[in-house]
Amino acid sequence: SRFPHRAWLYVDDLLAALHRSTCPEQCALLVALLSILHAPLSWRKAQLGELISWCGWELDFGCETVCLSADKVAKLLALLAPLCSTGRCSRKHLESCLGLLVWACTLSKHLRPFLAPLFRDLHGTAGTLFSIDPRFWGSFREGLDEAAHVRQCPTGLWLPLGGKVLEVSGSAVSLKTEVPRTCASRKPVWVRIQDPKRDSLQIRQTACLAAQWLHTCFSHPQPRSLRLLPLLPCVSAADAMAEGETVGIGGYVCTASRFAWFSETFTSAQIRAQWPDMDKPMQRYISCWEALAQLALLQCAVALQGPGSMPFALPTGSDNTSAEAGLNSLFTTTEPLSRFLRLAATWAEARQVELVVSHVSGERNQFADDLSRARLSGVKHRTADRVRFSLEELARPGQCL
């Protein structure tokens, strides 16, 4: 179109971007159309100009930037302040804070991973112990659905409807089939049930640290560009493997004129030196290693472009759906994957780059798979194009909370 124009609608709020040369005429036509359609117009909220306040955003079409309005920032900081120290808060307060944070992170995607600890505290209460007399056991079990939620409460018991059974006599429970059919004891049995309607919530240390970081970030809001980062014209992919006590990552970036690749192998001892809580078999954390491989690939692309390069988005492939979904949305409540998303998001934001991950089937990702397994016969003549990483560099303290 010779005179392009665009419009956005949020519930009953309309925002229109009109060409400067024909703006008065197009605005008049827009008002006439709304009047013909008998759409209610709020002249008190109507604005015309390059600087527009719309739905809590301050939009500058002259500079093509957007930032949070001052009143939204003040409200967000006030909601975050009580969460910046460990203790208890009301469910309503945490829900209000998270609702505003999810909306505020629409443009600040790099902050999304820091919402995960707060969501875990919202939905992950430890539960309350209830004693079930053996005479009530049959009716108690019958009142559970397949996911071990309390759907019917037997007369004489004060169980929270909708509550989730977490433990029976100290043994973890996730399904009704794991709840014993009969009570083997003549004494009351202790059952731990999580009440989804419990008003008082515990803010733990990880959520407290996340709230402090979010408070710091939103205390110094920066205008964000309305334009998407341009895609780097390249072919790139990364892969990871975990076998026994060994973890490997590998990947490559190929542009029209340059090529770079990486291949690194780490032991479980090196991994646990960085993340002591990852004490299970390395294969259990494969989605984390896939995310780490994508972070290394992004660092490889930045090194390939050289200092002073323009911001860009790196289109890449991954054959792991968990890592793909997590890196694209930058959100999961699953640990430790959430930690690796925070690491990737923080590193990328500091350098004004981002990942755009697409799924590639395993058989089509053979080159990256070979690199992750240190099968280097295909690149042994390209040693000058190799980018090296240490695990300490990829998980550098201070890069991420």
Side-chain angles (χ1 to χ4, degrees):
S1 174
R2 186 181 177 187
F3 298 113
H5 55 272
R6 292 161 289 175
W8 298 265
L9 186 66
Y10 182 76
V11 188
D12 60 349
D13 289 294
L14 176 67
L15 173 67
L18 309 174
H19 197 275
R20 186 190 300 272
S21 62
T22 57
C23 179
E25 293 85 352
Q26 288 182 327
C27 185
L29 287 172
L30 186 60
V31 172
L33 174 63
L34 293 174
S35 298
I36 292 172
L37 297 175
H38 300 288
L41 295 174
S42 176
W43 293 109
R44 179 181 60 83
K45 294 169 61 177
Q47 303 170 67
L48 180 64
E50 288 188 347
L51 299 174
I52 299 293
S53 297
W54 185 66
C55 296
W57 302 102
E58 299 288 344
L59 297 112
D60 186 338
F61 286 97
C63 298
E64 295 189 315
T65 60
V66 58
C67 64
L68 279 173
S69 62
D71 60 324
K72 292 295 184 182
V73 171
K75 181 179 180 181
L76 186 55
L77 294 179
L79 288 170
L80 279 169
L83 307 179
C84 291
S85 58
T86 56
R88 307 198 74 84
C89 78
S90 69
R91 178 179 295 274
K92 183 177 180 180
H93 180 93
L94 185 53
E95 287 176 341
S96 298
C97 185
L98 281 170
L100 191 56
L101 279 170
V102 169
W103 169 79
C105 290
T106 303
L107 291 178
S108 301
K109 286 182 62 177
H110 66 290
L111 296 179
R112 283 183 184 173
F114 294 92
L115 306 187
L118 296 169
F119 271 106
R120 284 197 298 272
D121 280 5
L122 177 64
H123 299 294
T125 54
T128 303
L129 285 172
F130 295 83
S131 62
I132 310 293
D133 189 280
R135 289 171 291 185
F136 291 105
W137 191 260
S139 54
F140 159 69
R141 192 179 186 281
E142 286 300 316
L144 303 178
D145 64 12
E146 295 304 315
H149 289 94
V150 179
R151 296 309 178 195
Q152 293 181 353
C153 180
T155 303
L157 295 179
W158 298 86
L159 306 180
L161 289 177
K164 166 71 174 176
V165 178
L166 302 176
E167 295 178 0
V168 175
S169 298
S171 299
V173 167
S174 58
L175 299 172
K176 180 179 179 178
T177 54
E178 299 172 351
V179 177
R181 291 184 175 276
T182 59
C183 183
S185 173
R186 294 183 179 181
K187 298 179 180 179
V189 178
W190 288 103
V191 176
R192 187 180 296 277
I193 301 178
Q194 181 188 84
D195 186 356
K197 298 180 181 178
R198 186 174 181 179
D199 184 62
S200 181
L201 302 175
Q202 178 69 37
I203 302 300
R204 292 171 288 188
Q205 184 67 20
T206 53
C208 173
L209 291 174
Q212 291 173 1
W213 176 243
L214 291 167
H215 192 280
T216 300
C217 292
F218 284 109
S219 295
H220 306 88
Q222 298 294 325
R224 314 285 298 183
S225 175
L226 288 171
R227 292 180 177 270
L228 294 174
L229 291 179
L231 290 172
L232 182 68
C234 68
V235 176
S236 65
D239 196 23
M241 74 90 184
E243 292 180 354
E245 297 297 303
T246 302
V247 171
I249 59 173
Y252 63 93
V253 181
C254 182
T255 67
S257 58
R258 303 186 67 186
F259 173 72
W261 62 278
F262 68 94
S263 175
E264 302 292 347
T265 301
F266 311 115
T267 66
S268 59
Q270 291 175 298
I271 295 290
R272 288 168 183 144
Q274 293 295 326
W275 300 291
D277 58 324
M278 301 181 76
D279 54 358
K280 297 178 181 178
M282 294 295 102
Q283 177 60 32
R284 295 284 296 274
Y285 306 112
I286 187 60
S287 60
C288 299
W289 314 137
E290 294 279 359
L292 190 68
Q294 293 294 333
L295 171 58
L297 183 67
L298 187 58
Q299 295 188 18
C300 191
V302 170
L304 185 69
Q305 290 298 97
S309 61
M310 296 295 290
F312 64 87
L314 177 67
T316 175
S318 172
D319 57 17
N320 184 277
T321 54
S322 296
E324 175 195 354
L327 288 166
N328 283 332
S329 66
L330 288 180
F331 182 78
T332 181
T333 57
T334 303
E335 286 289 358
L337 179 57
S338 178
R339 181 189 309 160
F340 285 80
L341 297 186
R342 292 195 291 271
L343 185 65
T346 304
W347 192 93
E349 174 64 18
R351 290 151 185 84
Q352 292 298 291
V353 292
E354 66 180 38
L355 284 164
V356 180
V357 188
S358 300
H359 188 76
V360 56
S361 59
E363 59 268 20
R364 298 186 62 188
N365 203 29
Q366 189 60 49
F367 186 25
D369 182 72
D370 287 341
L371 293 175
S372 70
R373 298 174 185 276
R375 296 194 288 253
L376 307 182
S377 59
V379 289
K380 60 183 180 181
H381 62 293
R382 305 294 298 266
T383 55
D385 299 318
R386 185 176 186 177
V387 180
R388 300 303 304 265
F389 302 102
S390 68
L391 189 60
E392 292 75 13
E393 289 173 332
L394 291 173
R396 183 175 302 154
Q399 282 190 334
C400 176
L401 290 177

